[in-house]
């Protein structure tokens, strides 16, 4: 399991995304998030509830629409209770495209047995967290837009950010960046009072970049700051962004510094 986690952590690092958020008024408020990206591994937010069921969690087969995707694409959903990933593959049959749970192999008494994976329709996705979408060859596709749909939430969502495991410097949680009425999610001066929520100096938010790197935004005990370098006339200069924002509809890692314990943050309804 540790190998799988390490492999996924290494693979799921590259993302370049542009996001549009639309809403449609009706008996429920429908939210449609368009994420345009050429990244093969794309972290996306579970930003919507199940259509027709209030703020209930959407199922894995309902959140990410199959339009624009291709058979062979996969959705990786982390099961926090059992500390493992559930994987769903997009398959095409006579009824159209559907998400199908990938089979797993169990070994018992020296015998290997293939067991059907969890059904996508029976797998709720916790709102406020992130999932991984794998699209082989995405950079060469004519259509690079991913559609995430659901009911706009009418109530707050609380997300638990894990503490660092024993012997580790950080504990990481892939959280979904909420879609706000004004677009991107402002870390400072926005809806979340991070100090009150329990964020500690040294906590980090690590944002996947297109080149496979992670941009680090660090909490100093009062505010979030992003430091980066630019080249001016051949000289490398350190710059500071004191008003960093996260792209709505995507996902990022919250790295909780050791010693701080688990903490929770609450996203307001749109």
């Amino acid at each position: 399991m540790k190998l799988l986690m390490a492999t996924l952590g290494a693979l799921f690092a590259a993302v370049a995304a542009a996001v549009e958020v639309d809403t449609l008024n009706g008996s429920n408020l429908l939210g449609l998030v368009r994420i345009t990206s050429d990244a093969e591994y794309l972290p996306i937010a579970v930003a919507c509830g199940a259509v027709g069921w209030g703020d209930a969690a959407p199922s894995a087969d309902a959140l990410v629409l199959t339009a624009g995707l291709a058979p062979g694409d996969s959705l990786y959903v982390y099961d926090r209770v059992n500390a493992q990933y559930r994987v769903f593959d997009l398959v095409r049959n006579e009824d159209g495209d559907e998400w199908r749970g990938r089979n797993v192999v169990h070994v018992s008494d020296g015998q290997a047995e293939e067991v059907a994976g969890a059904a996508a329709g029976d797998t709720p996705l916790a709102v406020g967290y992130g999932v991984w979408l794998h699209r082989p060859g995405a950079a060469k596709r004519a259509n690079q837009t991913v559609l995430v749909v659901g009911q706009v939430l009418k109530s707050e969502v609380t997300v638990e950010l894990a503490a660092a495991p024993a012997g580790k410097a950080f504990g990481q949680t892939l959280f979904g960046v909420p879609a706000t009425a004004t677009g991107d999610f402002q870390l400072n001066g926005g809806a979340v009072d991070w100090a009150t929520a329990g964020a500690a100096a040294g906590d980090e938010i690590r944002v996947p970049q297109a080149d496979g790197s992670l941009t680090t935004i660090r909490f100093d005990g009062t505010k979030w700051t992003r430091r980066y370098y630019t080249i001016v006339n051949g000289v490398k200069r350190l710059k500071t962004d004191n008003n960093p924002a996260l792209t709505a509809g995507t996902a990022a890692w919250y790295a909780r510094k050791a010693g701080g314990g688990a903490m929770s943050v609450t996203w307001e309804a749109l």
Side-chain angles (χ1 to χ4, degrees):
M1 185 63 223
K2 290 183 179 179
L3 176 61
L4 174 61
M5 291 291 290
T7 301
L8 289 170
L11 287 176
F12 298 158
V15 53
V19 177
E20 298 178 15
V21 182
D22 296 329
T23 59
L24 176 66
N25 286 304
S27 54
N28 296 309
L29 188 61
L30 180 67
L32 174 65
V33 182
R34 295 186 183 93
I35 306 171
T36 301
S37 170
D38 62 1
E40 181 172 339
Y41 292 93
L42 179 66
I44 56 179
V46 183
C48 305
V51 175
W53 294 95
D55 291 342
S59 58
D61 63 343
L63 177 76
V64 183
L65 300 187
T66 59
L69 301 181
D73 290 353
S74 302
L75 192 66
Y76 287 73
V77 179
Y78 188 63
D79 179 351
R80 287 180 300 281
V81 174
N82 297 303
Q84 63 186 11
Y85 276 90
R86 295 186 181 186
V87 186
F88 304 95
D89 298 314
L90 190 63
V91 298
R92 181 162 294 164
N93 52 39
E94 61 274 9
D95 297 322
D97 293 346
E98 66 174 356
W99 292 107
R100 181 177 297 171
R102 185 178 297 180
N103 291 354
V104 295
V105 175
H106 291 172
V107 178
S108 178
D109 297 327
Q111 301 294 317
E113 178 186 11
E114 187 171 343
V115 180
D122 296 332
T123 302
L125 303 182
V127 179
Y129 293 90
V131 297
W132 288 102
L133 180 62
H134 179 206
R135 299 173 298 161
K140 297 181 180 178
R141 297 186 185 185
N143 185 353
Q144 297 176 340
T145 298
V146 176
L147 300 176
V148 179
V149 69
Q151 182 168 308
V152 174
L153 301 179
K154 299 189 294 293
S155 62
E156 298 177 334
V157 175
T158 298
V159 180
E160 182 174 314
L161 304 172
K168 301 295 183 180
F170 290 93
Q172 293 199 106
T173 303
L174 186 68
F175 70 93
V177 180
T180 69
T182 56
D184 290 345
F185 182 71
Q186 298 294 328
L187 289 172
N188 296 325
V192 177
D193 183 335
W194 293 95
T196 300
D203 282 4
E204 297 176 352
I205 291 176
R206 299 169 179 173
V207 186
Q209 301 298 303
D211 62 1
S213 65
L214 294 172
T215 291
T216 298
I217 304 171
R218 189 169 285 109
F219 191 65
D220 65 5
T222 304
K223 65 182 183 304
W224 292 97
T225 301
R226 180 175 71 96
R227 294 187 176 182
Y228 61 100
Y229 288 94
T230 60
I231 304 297
V232 180
N233 297 325
V235 179
K236 189 176 183 180
R237 298 184 183 277
L238 178 64
K239 298 288 186 179
T240 301
D241 179 3
N242 289 313
N243 192 31
L246 302 177
T247 302
T250 61
W253 297 105
Y254 191 101
R256 181 73 166 144
K257 187 178 178 180
M263 61 175 280
S264 298
V265 294
T266 299
W267 309 139
E268 292 184 349
L270 182 63

